[in-house]
């Protein structure tokens, strides 16, 4: 109908948007990057290894998607700053940040030393804070932006033997809520995606372990692990113009694991 209301699917188009997805050479990051690119965004693929990042970019381009490499270690202050200088020089804008990198170090507090604690907090929390700051400054210039942090249901939920990662992830959740209040008037929304248990490469050993894999699947209301691609729609939604009034939200994608009593 000419002149009628806009079609709902138009709100999911990301043409003209540039998205940086940290840690996007495999796992959830790659699935989110591919999905954002399929919706029209130009995606900046990140990881620490140049050859792996380049191979991912090549793969996405072969799928007809717009992808460019951005190699840097999110935990390295100077490398982060340099990466954003490169975005300014080579791309000229950043509309969407998916802060996806998250290192894991399962240990009790009494079994982890301060150096390892700091390293984990550097990668899982400080990097997310610093990247959000760098990204938001660019987004402000265009009056539009999407800050998305990949957190975890771990943090809301806890387990003996895993002390610091939950603290970092809860820190990120708090950050996104705070940024939701700070940047909303600049057209920037801030939200989190909290995954449950996904069968990514990082979890391959657990999935394959007959003592662990089936047990984790059985605890889930859906009786299975999440497939990595099942995270993608959450990222597309939160990154999209359609989610313009969703701000400060934590979108749990866990098959119902965290609501089961
Ligand atoms: N998988 C799950 O079930 C699950 C559940 C809850 C939350 N999460 C969260 O979801 C996110 C993604 O998980 P995933 O399982 O997909 O992770 P993953 O398979 O371990 O993916 C890691 C990605 O991050 C890159 N990377 C790692 N450290 C980096 C660094 N310091 N700087 C830049 N890139 C780095 C890796 O490339 P290089 O190693 O080559 O640098 C790779 O591209 C994490 O934040 C994780 O905590 C996952």
């Amino acid at each position: 109908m000419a002149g009628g209301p806009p079609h709902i699917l138009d709100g999911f188009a990301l043409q003209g948007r540039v998205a940086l997805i940290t840690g996007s050479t495999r796992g959830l990051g790659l699935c989110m990057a591919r999905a954002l690119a399929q919706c029209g965004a130009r995606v900046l693929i990140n990881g620490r290894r140049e050859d792996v990042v380049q191979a991912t970019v090549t793969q996405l381009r072969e799928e007809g998607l717009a992808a460019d490499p951005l190699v840097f270690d999110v935990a390295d202050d100077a490398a982060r700053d340099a990466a954003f200088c490169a975005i300014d020089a080579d791309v000229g804008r950043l509309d969407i940040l998916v802060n996806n990198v998250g290192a894991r170090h399962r240990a009790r507090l009494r079994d982890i030393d301060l150096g390892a604690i700091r390293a984990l907090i550097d990668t899982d929390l400080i990097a997310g804070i610093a990247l959000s700051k760098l990204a938001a400054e660019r987004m402000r210039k265009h009056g539009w932006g999407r800050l998305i942090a990949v957190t975890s249901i771990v943090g809301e939920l806890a387990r003996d033997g895993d002390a610091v990662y939950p603290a970092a992830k809860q820190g990120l959740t708090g950050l996104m809520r705070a940024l939701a209040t700070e940047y909303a008037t600049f057209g920037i929304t801030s939200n989190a995606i909290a995954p449950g248990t996904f069968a990514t490469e990082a979890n391959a050993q657990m999935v394959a372990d007959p003592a662990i894999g089936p047990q984790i699947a059985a605890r889930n209301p859906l009786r299975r692990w999440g497939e990595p691609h099942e995270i993608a729609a959450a990222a597309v939604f939160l990154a999209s113009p359609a989610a313009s009034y969703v701000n400060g939200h934590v979108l749990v994608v866990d098959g119902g694991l965290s609501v089961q009593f």
Side-chain angles (χ1 to χ4, degrees):
M1 186 174 71
H7 194 285
I8 182 66
L9 289 180
D10 294 342
F12 292 88
L14 296 177
Q15 272 78 14
R17 307 288 184 197
V18 176
L20 166 61
I21 305 92
T22 65
S24 43
T25 60
R26 59 176 186 268
L28 304 184
L30 175 56
C31 289
M32 291 187 284
R34 176 179 280 118
L36 293 172
Q38 286 173 342
C39 291
R42 174 180 177 185
V43 294
L44 306 179
I45 298 300
N46 165 252
R48 290 164 296 184
R49 288 173 292 168
E50 192 161 1
D51 55 337
V52 178
V53 170
Q54 194 51 58
T56 308
V57 165
T58 301
Q59 180 189 336
L60 292 174
R61 286 180 180 170
E62 282 171 5
E63 294 169 23
L65 303 172
D68 289 292
L70 195 62
V71 181
F72 69 99
D73 183 339
V74 300
D76 179 330
D77 296 352
R80 262 191 326 260
D81 288 344
F84 272 76
C85 287
I87 293 175
D88 292 340
D90 303 339
V91 188
R93 62 184 298 137
L94 185 72
D95 305 285
I96 299 161
L97 170 69
V98 183
N99 175 47
N100 169 67
V101 167
R104 202 81 163 96
H105 184 140
R106 287 185 181 83
R108 289 177 163 154
L109 191 58
R110 58 183 182 265
D111 297 328
I112 182 168
D113 63 34
L114 210 47
I117 292 171
R118 282 220 170 88
L120 202 52
I121 295 291
D122 258 352
T123 302
D124 288 4
L125 181 56
I126 304 287
I129 296 172
L131 286 166
S132 298
K133 183 175 168 71
L134 288 163
E137 289 313 305
R138 272 78 184 168
M139 293 168 183
R140 273 179 58 169
K141 290 186 190 141
H142 299 285
W144 195 94
R146 296 286 185 262
L147 297 171
I148 300 170
V150 179
T151 59
S152 176
I153 57 166
V154 173
E156 282 296 325
L157 305 175
R159 174 180 290 270
D160 182 12
D162 195 11
V164 179
Y165 174 84
K169 290 298 191 183
Q170 280 297 86
L172 270 187
T173 303
L175 173 75
M176 300 321 283
R177 289 186 173 135
L179 299 188
T181 69
E182 180 175 338
Y183 285 110
T185 53
F186 299 102
I188 302 169
T189 62
S190 306
N191 293 288
I193 299 172
T197 47
F198 279 79
T200 58
E201 292 89 331
N203 288 335
Q205 262 190 325
M206 282 201 297
V207 175
D209 187 331
I212 301 176
Q215 191 200 10
I216 287 179
R219 277 181 26 220
N220 195 295
L222 288 177
R223 305 283 181 261
R224 62 179 177 82
W225 289 73
E227 291 298 325
H229 69 85
E230 291 180 288
I231 205 75
V236 166
F237 172 59
L238 293 177
S240 72
S244 50
Y245 207 62
V246 181
N247 191 27
H249 184 66
V250 179
L251 180 44
V252 175
V253 184
D254 72 347
L257 178 62
S258 59
V259 299
Q260 184 161 260
F261 179 60

